[in-house]
Amino acid sequence: MKQIISVFTFSAILFTACTGSSNKTDEQTAANMDMQHAEEGQLHENGEAMHQHDQEMGNAMEHDMDSTMIIVQDSKSTALVLDAYLKIKNALVEDDDKAAARAGKDLVNAFDNIDESSVSPEKMGELKDIVDDARENADHISESQGNIEHQREHFDMLSTDVNDMISIAGADRSLYRIFCPMYNNHEGAYWLSESRDIKNPFFGSKMSDCGEVSSKIVVE
Amino acid sequence: MRRLRVIALIAIIVVAGIQFIPFKRNVSKEIPSSDFILHYDPTEEVSDVLKTSCYNCHSNNTIYPWYSKIQPIGLYLEGHIDKGKENLNFSEFGTYSARRQKNKLTSMIDQIKEDRMPLPAYTFIHHDAKLSVEDKKEVTGFLESLKDSISFN
């Protein structure tokens, strides 16, 4: 019993970890109190609390399952771009500006593999805009070794570009689009990941578990 | 001792010599229709700030200081201007894609708010280019509203 409750307490803390507001401590205190009650054997009260937690957890999981599914066409042409993009993402998760800069350089080169004329004529112009913008962002990341916050600013814009790019040019793998509500002074930002595990590239080790899956991108 | 004199003499000749090499100047007589101020018509205050604090390195028209005619100082300035224009050129802003415009506005706002731009080395010499708290508020307010008005997709 105690173990179960600790798990819920832990998850309650996890849930609040992202909000970063003052009610964080309140909720944590409440969760701690639940545990105390359990230790005192007040099962009735605690049972109710647990029921509530149960529902919250259930909702959260449902929400996760319900995250929108986005289907993109199967294409090998974006594979190298995605490899390099994910390498940058993982470097930023690890707070490694040098590795991010190296991967940024790979990404600049990888964009040469995107053939803009391979998509429908009405999408061609848009794809070109996306690739030009993304290449510039990758270039900034590669040149900003020693300034990881600047790399992250460009990674934010780059993530939008890569997301929009695969919606036109396709992908060779499933991806998750994850939302961090806190980045950009709480304006929020998205990133793409190869897995649904939350490892935040915008904050790195400072707040690695901030974020939630907003959609799953599936290859047709 | 004699060798030193020779070295000094050569240095003088080289420095004197490079004064005569013609270097390109970032000056254009025309203001294109893609120019940021012309295109978006901000208030006079905002236009003045942009012209004084940004346009010298981020447009096709630099108002050069007298010492820019002395080499290698002029060369050093030219390098800065090239890099500045590559990242953001107000003269060509209207030709950027909506995506790039929006991203540039985001970067401008961040850099102004965090005092990363104009460069400290620039405001050290050009005191009038330093942005006051009001200047920053005025300019970023305008850039924010412009950013919100641009959408792509």
Side-chain angles (χ1 to χ4, degrees):
Chain A
M1 187 66 188
K2 241 195 228 177
Q3 242 179 351
I4 296 170
I5 290 163
S6 323
V7 168
F8 284 133
T9 310
F10 181 56
S11 56
I13 293 168
L14 267 188
F15 270 112
T16 52
C18 266
T19 61
S21 59
S22 57
N23 63 15
K24 178 178 168 181
T25 34
D26 291 345
E27 283 179 50
Q28 272 181 358
T29 326
N32 286 342
M33 272 172 66
D34 282 351
M35 220 161 120
Q36 258 178 9
H37 282 307
E39 276 167 4
E40 286 160 17
Q42 296 181 350
L43 280 173
H44 178 67
E45 249 184 80
N46 191 48
E48 266 180 12
M50 265 198 55
H51 182 63
Q52 219 184 336
H53 273 308
D54 238 356
Q55 258 181 349
E56 276 173 25
M57 279 287 282
N59 287 345
M61 267 155 82
E62 236 171 66
H63 177 75
D64 212 39
M65 294 298 185
D66 275 347
S67 58
T68 349
M69 194 95 102
I70 295 166
I71 298 167
V72 299
Q73 70 184 91
D74 187 5
S75 167
K76 293 261 177 293
S77 69
T78 54
L80 287 173
V81 168
L82 291 175
D83 285 346
Y85 169 84
L86 293 172
K87 238 195 264 174
I88 298 176
K89 189 262 296 174
N90 291 327
L92 294 177
V93 166
E94 302 287 331
D95 299 315
D96 187 344
D97 59 307
K98 284 192 190 105
R102 276 197 306 273
K105 205 170 173 209
D106 291 348
L107 184 55
V108 172
N109 297 327
F111 280 116
D112 294 342
N113 296 294
I114 308 289
D115 181 10
E116 282 131 20
S117 60
S118 66
V119 299
S120 65
E122 64 266 26
K123 287 279 177 195
M124 228 161 82
E126 198 187 335
L127 183 59
K128 190 181 178 307
D129 288 350
I130 293 170
V131 170
D132 285 348
D133 193 71
R135 194 185 273 125
E136 193 180 350
N137 284 320
D139 199 40
H140 273 271
I141 293 170
S142 82
E143 286 179 1
S144 301
Q145 188 174 315
N147 189 351
I148 197 161
E149 293 316 320
H150 193 60
Q151 289 179 324
R152 286 178 166 136
E153 281 168 26
H154 284 283
F155 179 74
D156 175 9
M157 300 186 248
L158 175 68
S159 297
T160 308
D161 292 337
V162 172
N163 179 71
D164 297 349
M165 177 198 76
I166 57 177
S167 75
I168 296 174
D172 66 333
R173 68 198 86 179
S174 291
L175 291 160
Y176 295 89
R177 192 167 186 233
I178 304 177
F179 183 65
C180 164
M182 283 191 69
Y183 192 63
N184 271 335
N185 291 320
H186 297 267
E187 265 181 50
Y190 290 90
W191 79 88
L192 298 176
S193 174
E194 66 277 42
S195 104
R196 66 186 319 132
D197 298 338
I198 308 289
K199 284 182 189 158
N200 190 313
F202 296 115
F203 289 105
S205 58
K206 262 187 275 171
M207 213 170 350
S208 64
D209 56 5
C210 178
E212 62 171 31
V213 174
S214 91
S215 51
K216 183 177 184 187
I217 298 164
V218 189
V219 174
E220 203 170 21
Chain B
M1 199 59 205
R2 213 172 133 198
R3 183 181 282 181
L4 226 105
R5 231 186 272 171
V6 173
I7 291 170
L9 194 68
I10 291 171
I12 289 168
I13 291 169
V14 168
V15 171
I18 57 171
Q19 306 306 321
F20 295 101
I21 302 172
F23 289 103
K24 69 175 172 84
R25 309 273 282 176
N26 183 44
V27 179
S28 105
K29 290 204 175 76
E30 258 174 75
I31 298 174
S33 60
S34 56
D35 180 74
F36 186 85
I37 293 175
L38 196 68
H39 199 276
Y40 296 108
D41 195 25
T43 60
E44 210 164 306
E45 285 94 338
V46 173
S47 304
D48 282 348
V49 170
L50 292 176
K51 280 185 199 157
T52 315
S53 303
C54 317
Y55 265 53
N56 267 345
C57 293
H58 292 288
S59 81
N60 290 340
N61 222 340
T62 304
I63 298 165
Y64 284 96
W66 62 269
Y67 50 78
S68 70
K69 295 210 170 98
I70 302 169
Q71 303 305 345
I73 299 172
L75 208 59
Y76 165 79
L77 293 180
E78 221 51 56
H80 263 283
I81 294 166
D82 278 350
K83 190 149 186 260
K85 279 167 65 179
E86 190 190 315
N87 285 322
L88 169 68
N89 188 342
F90 280 111
S91 302
E92 293 169 3
F93 196 85
T95 66
Y96 291 178
S97 67
R99 179 181 298 268
R100 189 157 183 235
Q101 286 182 342
K102 196 160 185 156
N103 285 342
K104 290 297 168 193
L105 288 165
T106 305
S107 298
M108 280 184 231
I109 294 163
D110 284 350
Q111 305 218 6
I112 292 170
K113 277 188 180 163
E114 292 164 18
D115 294 316
R116 286 185 276 150
M117 277 288 164
L119 285 178
Y122 183 73
T123 52
F124 181 75
I125 298 167
H126 302 258
H127 290 285
D128 58 334
K130 215 173 253 173
L131 303 183
S132 68
V133 177
E134 283 80 47
D135 288 342
K136 286 205 264 179
K137 224 168 123 186
E138 195 87 35
V139 174
T140 53
F142 176 77
L143 299 177
E144 294 267 13
S145 63
L146 190 58
K147 181 182 151 190
D148 291 340
S149 73
I150 296 174
S151 65
F152 48 84
N153 286 347

